[in-house]
Amino acid sequence: MEERGNILLVEDEENMHEALKLNLEMEGYTVTSAYTGTEGLKAVQNEYFDIIIMDIMLPEVDGITVTENIRLQHNDVPVLILSARNTGSDRVLGLKKGADDYLTKPFNLEELLLRVEKLVQKNKKLQDKETVGDIYEFGKSKVDFNAQQAVTWHGSQVELSKKEAMLLKLLIENKNKVVTREKILQMVWGYNVYPTTRTIDNFILNFRKYFEEDSRNPKHFHSVRGVGYKYVE
Ligand code: CA
């Protein structure tokens, strides 16, 4: 079946959780389960998701607080809030704290699936950044993504590993934007195969060696502490 997206489902009512999971999986989504706010937060820190379906009333940390925390981490993942409470103030608070959409229980399953699909599509479109061609030049440097080669700032040619080329492309395609560590891990290393943060740091150190005249004061490759990395032309 076609891979439609990676969903984090944060819902503590087991019957509801199982029913939603089953239906989403039938639609072709991959679903990661969390039953408490804390589990939800942890999952977001470890993995990249295309959307989060979040109940409000949760053990430990409520869904609105979890959403707020996710936004504080500069994570723009779409959040669809589910709530048993049908009060306007809840909805407003959820949206204020960064949720993208809202459904009140009991809801129509078709409607939920439609909204999920819409949010996932919208997010994918937003992430369709300018595509860079096979060859990209900046300053005195040049990268050939296909050939996995680069010309450094001082004019020497270096061979890039496949992952180096992928990471370079990801950062360059998102220039001036922070690419989160979770996203890098998912895009370059694939789901659930997590190298340590140190690994990404080492890649960035290499990029600085190749492409920065003064690697201690990088112009192009920036680390954003606790969040991710950013390329600036
Ligand atoms: Ca609940």
Side-chain angles (χ1 to χ4, degrees):
M1 203 183 292
E2 180 200 0
E3 176 64 50
R4 296 189 66 184
N6 204 21
I7 297 181
L8 174 62
L9 175 59
V10 194
E11 165 65 79
D12 60 319
E13 288 160 54
E14 268 182 49
N15 290 338
M16 168 75 88
H17 193 117
E18 291 314 308
L20 278 176
K21 185 169 193 280
L22 179 69
N23 278 283
L24 290 163
E25 286 175 347
M26 300 275 284
E27 291 289 311
Y29 294 103
T30 305
V31 180
T32 298
S33 291
Y35 295 88
T36 68
T38 315
E39 278 176 25
L41 269 173
K42 205 174 276 173
V44 172
Q45 275 153 12
N46 287 324
E47 199 171 340
Y48 174 84
F49 295 102
D50 295 298
I51 185 171
I52 300 174
I53 301 175
M54 178 101 65
D55 186 27
I56 288 190
M57 300 284 276
L58 290 167
E60 296 164 16
V61 186
D62 70 86
I64 290 177
T65 306
V66 175
T67 305
E68 188 178 19
N69 264 289
I70 290 169
R71 294 300 180 240
L72 287 174
Q73 292 164 29
H74 304 273
N75 189 332
D76 291 327
V77 57
V79 175
L80 171 65
I81 277 191
L82 302 179
S83 175
R85 292 187 283 180
N86 187 13
T87 70
S89 63
D90 238 19
R91 179 165 53 235
V92 171
L93 185 63
L95 295 172
K96 245 188 187 163
K97 298 296 186 187
D100 297 273
D101 203 353
Y102 188 98
L103 268 179
T104 303
K105 294 178 191 170
F107 49 81
N108 176 303
L109 185 64
E110 288 290 304
E111 186 180 356
L112 173 101
L113 293 174
L114 276 173
R115 290 194 188 208
V116 166
E117 192 188 352
K118 240 188 177 164
L119 282 172
V120 169
Q121 291 309 325
K122 190 174 132 201
N123 190 44
K124 283 199 169 141
K125 233 173 260 163
L126 281 181
Q127 298 197 357
D128 272 347
K129 51 257 131 192
E130 48 186 302
T131 40
V132 294
D134 285 342
I135 293 184
Y136 180 80
E137 294 184 59
F138 60 110
K140 296 176 195 156
S141 308
K142 187 164 108 178
V143 181
D144 184 332
F145 298 105
N146 261 357
Q148 291 174 219
Q149 286 172 335
V151 176
T152 67
W153 67 272
H154 52 86
S156 61
Q157 182 155 314
V158 289
E159 302 291 324
L160 302 170
S161 71
K162 181 153 181 248
K163 287 197 171 6
E164 280 182 324
M166 284 168 80
L167 179 54
L168 265 179
K169 191 157 193 196
L170 179 65
L171 291 173
I172 289 170
E173 281 180 341
N174 289 283
K175 74 175 170 207
N176 303 321
K177 281 188 274 185
V178 177
V179 182
T180 63
R181 192 168 294 136
E182 292 72 35
K183 175 140 197 182
I184 291 173
L185 293 174
Q186 189 230 352
M187 304 288 280
V188 180
W189 275 268
Y191 285 119
N192 304 320
V193 190
Y194 294 147
T196 61
T197 300
R198 197 96 205 109
T199 312
I200 307 179
D201 283 338
N202 286 336
F203 274 60
I204 300 293
L205 287 180
N206 277 344
F207 293 165
R208 288 185 183 149
K209 235 184 288 164
Y210 301 155
F211 306 120
E212 302 279 5
E213 282 198 52
D214 180 359
S215 59
R216 293 210 179 142
N217 294 299
K219 246 175 73 182
H220 304 295
F221 294 93
H222 303 272
S223 312
V224 183
R225 190 181 284 267
V227 185
Y229 304 87
K230 181 167 79 171
Y231 166 77
V232 177
E233 192 159 8

